[in-house]
Amino acid sequence: MTDFRETLRGIVAMLLCCLFFLINDTIVKAVAADLPIGEILFIRSLIATVVVIVVVWRMGLLPSVLPQTSRFVLTRSICEGIATVVYLTGLVHLPIANASAISQGAPLAITAAGAFVLGEIVGWRRWMSVAVGFLGILIIVRPGPDGFNSWALLPLASVGIVTVRELSTRFIAPATNSAVVTLVTQVMVTVACGLLSATEVWLPMTAMQFGLIVVAGLSCIFGVQFSIDAMRHGDISLVAQFRYSTIPFAILLGWVIWGDVPDLLTLVGIAIVVGSGIYIFYRERVRHQTLASRADPSV
């Protein structure tokens, strides 16, 4: 039985992961209005990689990077690099709320993978809550000529890549230091973004644009670290559901920065998604309390 405190730690890490990645996405989308996406992503990733190398070096872990780079660490890192390029390329051509909502198909895929690959117990109530949450996403997106175009296929494709990434994270040996995983991941992301940037014509950037890219790089570091932590603690099927927190954050940022005002149906969709996540958390706590009372005769 997964310890409830471990699951709670995974949930908190997932919420922070979503927040930092959304900050990164917002900055990339804003700067991409004036600069090529490959140029932005390569510089952002290069900055993040240098910072992580310094941190790992200060921790005295550089000599252990190669020995700790298992096939699961490598698989996770390659998937991260591909998913980054695929998703963010689609993001710059879509409203941030739409792209974020499409990417929320990942918890459904991860729940199924957690049940079938890892043998995790997913009760019918949780399956129903996931389905209701997905319905909330559809209400927010409302696929149509304006909300779902060919660029939306890229965030959709990233869902499958992210699922493989998260499963690979789960199989990483507990003794593997998360900082090492973060470093290998950043290197692979930089390589993927470098390949994309090689197909573009670079443009000069302002000091403000460079500063924003630096912030995006730092946000990406925190996002990756919390993503690793989230998938290494607690019930993966439950923790994955809290990716839905990205949606209200994305709608809020879309409104503040681009003036996208959520309509009534969008607010209803947000309420359904958030309510679904809260109910899943409640059901998990009830399940753990029930199992604990059965195991302890004094309760």
Side-chain angles (χ1 to χ4, degrees), residues 54-273:
V54 172
V55 171
V56 172
W57 171 66
R58 291 295 299 271
M59 294 173 66
L61 294 174
L62 275 182
S64 65
V65 170
L66 286 180
Q68 292 192 49
T69 304
S70 65
R71 66 179 185 276
F72 296 116
V73 172
L74 198 58
T75 299
R76 186 203 187 280
S77 303
I78 292 173
C79 287
E80 180 75 25
I82 297 173
T84 296
V85 170
V86 170
Y87 174 75
L88 292 177
T89 300
L91 171 67
V92 299
H93 297 283
L94 293 168
I96 190 169
N98 291 57
S100 297
I102 292 169
S103 71
Q104 297 314 304
L108 267 173
I110 293 171
T111 294
F116 295 115
V117 178
L118 302 180
E120 293 183 344
I121 299 174
V122 180
W124 68 269
R125 290 184 179 87
R126 203 189 305 177
W127 281 117
M128 287 296 294
S129 295
V130 171
V132 170
F134 184 69
L135 175 62
I137 293 173
L138 292 179
I139 293 174
I140 295 171
V141 177
R142 296 194 295 280
D146 297 326
F148 192 88
N149 55 40
S150 58
W151 288 107
L153 295 176
L154 294 181
L156 194 60
S158 72
V159 168
I161 303 170
V162 166
T163 301
V164 177
R165 182 196 72 188
E166 303 297 43
L167 285 177
S168 300
T169 304
R170 194 66 169 190
F171 284 107
I172 293 175
T176 304
N177 193 290
S178 293
V180 171
V181 180
T182 301
L183 174 56
V184 178
T185 297
Q186 283 301 141
V187 169
M188 288 301 174
V189 170
T190 303
V191 170
C193 294
L195 292 175
L196 175 63
S197 69
T199 66
E200 301 172 336
V201 177
W202 282 37
L203 298 176
M205 65 178 63
T206 65
M208 175 64 74
Q209 290 170 333
F210 181 75
L212 288 172
I213 292 173
V214 170
V215 174
L218 295 176
S219 297
C220 188
I221 292 172
F222 285 114
V224 169
Q225 189 67 32
F226 282 118
S227 174
I228 294 169
D229 199 48
M231 288 296 100
R232 298 183 74 179
H233 295 90
D235 186 335
I236 187 175
S237 301
L238 174 65
V239 171
Q241 307 313 317
F242 284 81
R243 289 181 183 279
Y244 290 139
S245 64
T246 295
I247 299 175
F249 286 147
I251 298 237
L252 177 61
L253 286 175
W255 171 57
V256 171
I257 298 174
W258 290 281
D260 297 330
V261 180
D263 56 22
L264 180 59
L265 277 178
T266 299
L267 294 176
V268 169
I270 292 174
I272 291 174
V273 171

Side-chain angles (χ1 to χ4, degrees), residues 39-61:
E39 176 184 352
I40 297 169
L41 295 182
F42 179 68
I43 294 176
R44 182 214 66 173
S45 301
L46 191 60
I47 292 170
T49 300
V50 171
V51 172
V52 174
I53 288 175
V54 172
V55 171
V56 172
W57 171 66
R58 291 295 299 271
M59 294 173 66
L61 294 174

